[in-house]
Amino acid sequence: TSEQIEHLHRRFKQLSHDQLTIRKENFDSIPDLEFNPIRGKIVHAFFDKRPIEMNMDEEQLDRFRKEKLKFLFHMYDSDHDGKITLQEYRNVVEELLSGNPHLEKES
């Protein structure tokens, strides 16, 4: 809706500090991201350079989905061996849970 577009525009201007582009350092001013354990991955995802086309056919959409899955997979395949090991999985879970003050480390 036009209201959503206006809200998005205001948020863009706020994040970019009224500049024409948003830079990685602009994400430093987002309080909700400051203590997020996967902050770096979230910021990196915003700067993924793959093009998105609005009028994709089914084949293009399928290819785009596969590329997105590969991107997400590589976020967690920290040694880039094409596998997510149990240790890599544990690291992800620990990262996600480490910021939760209601859980003890053993949990």
Side-chain angles (χ1 to χ4, degrees):
T1 66
S2 62
E3 184 179 312
Q4 290 170 319
I5 291 170
E6 287 174 23
H7 176 75
L8 184 61
H9 185 249
R10 282 191 307 272
R11 185 68 174 136
F12 181 92
K13 287 175 66 174
Q14 179 187 18
L15 283 174
S16 71
H17 304 288
D18 287 322
Q19 299 297 311
L20 295 177
T21 59
I22 293 178
R23 301 178 186 278
K24 287 184 181 183
E25 53 270 11
N26 294 129
F27 284 83
D28 293 335
S29 65
I30 302 174
D32 291 341
L33 272 181
E34 185 177 357
F35 299 108
N36 191 312
I38 59 168
R39 178 187 179 282
K41 292 178 174 139
I42 293 169
V43 172
H44 178 73
F46 271 93
F47 293 91
D48 180 16
K49 300 289 187 195
R50 289 173 294 162
I52 298 173
E53 295 183 28
M54 301 312 268
N55 299 321
M56 292 188 207
D57 62 27
E58 279 302 312
E59 184 179 326
Q60 291 170 318
L61 191 56
D62 186 51
R63 190 169 51 247
F64 180 76
R65 286 181 183 135
K66 287 178 183 176
E67 288 176 20
K68 187 186 255 187
L69 282 172
K70 282 182 188 178
F71 173 78
L72 292 170
F73 179 87
H74 291 296
M75 283 176 66
Y76 298 106
D77 179 20
S78 57
D79 61 3
H80 308 291
D81 67 350
K83 302 174 199 163
I84 296 177
T85 64
L86 181 57
Q87 186 58 49
E88 288 167 326
Y89 174 74
R90 284 183 179 146
N91 292 342
V92 170
V93 171
E94 285 177 14
E95 277 184 71
L96 291 171
L97 298 179
S98 67
N100 187 331
H102 305 292
L103 289 177
E104 297 176 12
K105 180 136 177 94
E106 291 135 14
S107 297

